[in-house]
């Protein structure tokens, strides 16, 4: 994706981070289901005393006891890149802000200005985008976000 609209980029990043979070939860659930089925356990023989010929007591420890009971989750996604920005008119619709991530063509006398864009999504903010352009915050309308 070298060129896309700003809205498409934000939507794609948000869908990706939510899918990664759901994937972690599904994988964690599958691990617990597998462990609770009793398919894997650690079998250990523990001696009753300090002597070498002491009788051994078998102990079976389910693998689920070794798992952290907390659920892992993605807490933040941060993306930073250099880009050029331009507006594009769309007939019958609102203007679209286009982000061009292609490297600029070499120019002899002048350079095309590149902007540094940083986009952050945090779980604590309900996956709302926090965007900054050249170190300055950009206000993004979240009216259509779900």
């Amino acid at each position: 994706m070298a060129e896309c609209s700003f809205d498409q980029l934000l939507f794609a990043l948000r869908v990706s981070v939510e899918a990664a979070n759901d994937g972690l939860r599904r994988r964690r659930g599958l691990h617990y289901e597998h462990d609770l089925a009793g398919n894997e356990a650690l079998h250990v023989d523990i001696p009753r005393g300090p002597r070498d010929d002491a009788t051994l007591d078998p102990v079976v420890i389910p693998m689920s006891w070794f798992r952290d009971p907390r659920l892992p989750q993605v807490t933040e996604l941060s993306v930073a890149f250099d880009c050029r920005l331009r507006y594009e008119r769309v007939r019958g619709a609102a203007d679209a802000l286009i982000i061009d991530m292609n490297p600029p063509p070499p120019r002899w006398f002048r350079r095309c200005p590149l902007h540094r864009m940083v986009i952050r999504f945090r779980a604590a903010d309900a996956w709302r985008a926090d965007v900054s352009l050249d170190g300055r915050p950009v206000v993004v309308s979240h009216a259509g976000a779900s």
Side-chain angles (χ1 to χ4, degrees):
M1 169 176 24
E3 188 175 301
C4 68
S5 74
F6 183 66
D7 295 338
Q8 289 173 338
L9 178 64
L10 287 181
F11 180 75
L13 287 173
R14 181 175 177 164
V15 167
S16 297
V17 73
E18 287 176 346
N21 202 23
D22 290 342
L24 274 174
R25 288 185 179 160
R26 276 194 311 274
R27 182 173 179 177
R28 183 62 165 182
L30 289 175
H31 279 295
Y32 270 116
E33 287 176 17
H34 186 284
D35 290 343
L36 293 177
N39 295 338
E40 293 185 21
L42 179 64
H43 299 272
V44 181
D45 292 325
I46 299 178
R48 286 188 179 187
R51 296 186 2 225
D52 290 339
D53 62 344
T55 59
L56 301 175
D57 288 333
V59 175
V60 178
I61 303 172
M63 293 302 284
S64 61
W65 289 8
F66 294 103
R67 299 237 185 251
D68 189 354
R70 296 172 292 185
L71 285 174
Q73 72 173 10
V74 177
T75 57
E76 183 175 342
L77 170 72
S78 180
V79 180
F81 53 90
D82 293 326
C83 64
R84 288 176 291 180
L85 303 171
R86 71 175 191 272
Y87 278 103
E88 198 171 89
R89 290 197 174 264
V90 179
R91 185 171 284 191
D95 294 345
L97 177 63
I98 302 297
I99 298 174
D100 186 2
M101 291 176 263
N102 290 319
R107 308 258 171 137
W108 190 47
F109 281 114
R110 62 183 174 131
R111 287 187 172 164
C112 292
L114 290 177
H115 298 283
R116 184 71 172 172
M117 183 172 284
V118 178
I119 303 173
R120 286 187 188 92
F121 291 93
R122 293 183 53 215
D125 297 335
W127 302 117
R128 291 187 178 190
D130 177 25
V131 181
S132 66
L133 186 65
D134 296 330
R136 294 182 304 259
V138 176
V139 177
V140 179
S141 171
H142 297 290
S146 58

